[in-house]
Amino acid sequence: MKNYYLALLLFGFICNAQIGVGTTSPNSKSVLDLTSTTKGFLPPRMTYAEKTAILSPPAGLQIWCTDCSATGELQVFNGTSWVTYSLIAGSLPQPSAPLNVTATAIYKQATVSFSAPASNGGSVITGYTVTSSPGSFIATGGSSPLIVTGLTNGTSYTFTVVATNSICNSPASSASVAVVPNCGAYIASGVYKVFACFNLGATDTTGDENTPVQGTNGDYYEWGRSTPAATTDAIIGTWNTTDASDGSWLDASKTANDPCPTGFRVPTNAQWIGVANTSLNTLSHMGSWVNDGNFTTAVSFETATVKTLTLPSAGRRFTDGYLLSRGQNGFYQCSTVNGIYSHYLYTTWTSCNTTWGLRRLGYSVRCISE
């Protein structure tokens, strides 16, 4: 029977004829006339996520959305948005679209805020659905803000919001401005700053940035120098025992000696102080914290739901290049000077804070976005 119907449709397409199914006399105004007293027409059935994944739907496209309400609903694309089919006649109270959609991104997730629709369609709003583009990642809830998880670091996303009342869905809101989730930490209340996901010089950047291994420890840099003084395993050439001069690195701007790639720089002391502030970022520890050269020890900075930045405890190189404290402490360069000394971030198994020391010591570098 299915092949019979397909043959009829193909015949009608080729011959520009009317097609009748269940009738030998299709209506003269129809291209396709389906006639039955025992069966109905069944449109394509799909979920909300599958519907919104259709690229550039034509006006008039019709589907049955299986999860767009408690029982599903017939919808049509009106050229701008998907609407419940009976809304074409104005018989259902559709909410208007949510307003003022904004998004902020951190590590692999985004928080989407919005305002309620100007009209609830005469029925109380029962919930909201946020959808990402690309990926169609979804978050649902009863109020703003909503957190969308599962995003990919480094990918640009926009978000739209749909309101639902007790009867039907609103049109989708205008899209938010694009945001890009990435590794980082809060340096002040509400100020999330992107950091590189790995130490400068890391040789293994394909794995999980929150699981330290040998290849994520990276190189060691003396303050004010643009090239590393040592790798994980060896000194590069002869250790430089002369301090770099003032201005080699600056807090106010990135200098030519800054070793970080384009768009990033060595963090300032103030930025590291913000990261270490436990009222902004929850601090956790992993590994043995034993000075035996292990590569599994690190500190992580977290929100309530996710780790956002992990710093391996790579130790340091002393004034003659000798390696100390790997697996027990972390030392991270700051651009900030303190007289003839320089500041650095210091991590232990119980604490994390900034202090200062000799400029000719070799520390790890974790670059921060400019």
Side-chain angles (χ1 to χ4, degrees), residues 84-269:
T84 302
Y85 196 82
S86 56
L87 290 177
I88 298 171
S91 60
L92 288 179
Q94 184 185 34
S96 56
L99 304 170
N100 306 317
V101 180
T102 60
T104 57
I106 60 170
Y107 180 88
K108 294 187 178 180
Q109 66 182 43
T111 299
V112 181
S113 301
F114 49 89
S115 301
S119 169
N120 64 9
S123 182
V124 174
I125 300 295
T126 58
Y128 296 92
T129 301
V130 175
T131 304
S132 75
S133 178
S136 295
F137 295 99
I138 288 176
T140 59
S143 62
S144 172
L146 295 175
I147 297 176
V148 182
T149 60
L151 306 180
T152 300
N153 283 342
T155 298
S156 179
Y157 292 92
T158 61
F159 301 88
T160 55
V161 186
V162 169
T164 301
N165 64 17
S166 59
I167 301 175
C168 59
N169 294 327
S170 74
S173 69
S174 298
S176 69
V177 173
V179 295
V180 181
N182 221 321
C183 300
Y186 288 96
I187 62 170
S189 180
V191 181
Y192 184 85
K193 195 73 171 175
V194 170
F195 280 78
C197 289
F198 296 94
N199 285 356
L200 195 60
T203 57
D204 183 358
T205 60
T206 60
D208 178 15
E209 52 266 26
N210 293 312
T211 303
V213 295
Q214 180 172 350
T216 63
N217 271 229
D219 295 333
Y220 301 87
Y221 287 78
E222 294 178 89
W223 186 91
R225 308 294 184 185
S226 60
T227 57
T231 67
T232 299
D233 300 312
I235 299 172
I236 300 173
T238 302
W239 192 263
N240 193 331
T241 58
T242 303
D243 289 343
S245 60
D246 288 351
S248 296
W249 291 349
L250 294 171
D251 282 3
S253 61
K254 179 177 178 176
T255 69
N257 286 329
D258 190 299
C260 293
T262 301
F264 290 82
R265 55 161 294 161
V266 175
T268 68
N269 186 57

Side-chain angles (χ1 to χ4, degrees), residues 27 33 41 57 110 256 278 301:
N27 188 286
D33 186 345
F41 171 69
T278 55
F301 302 93

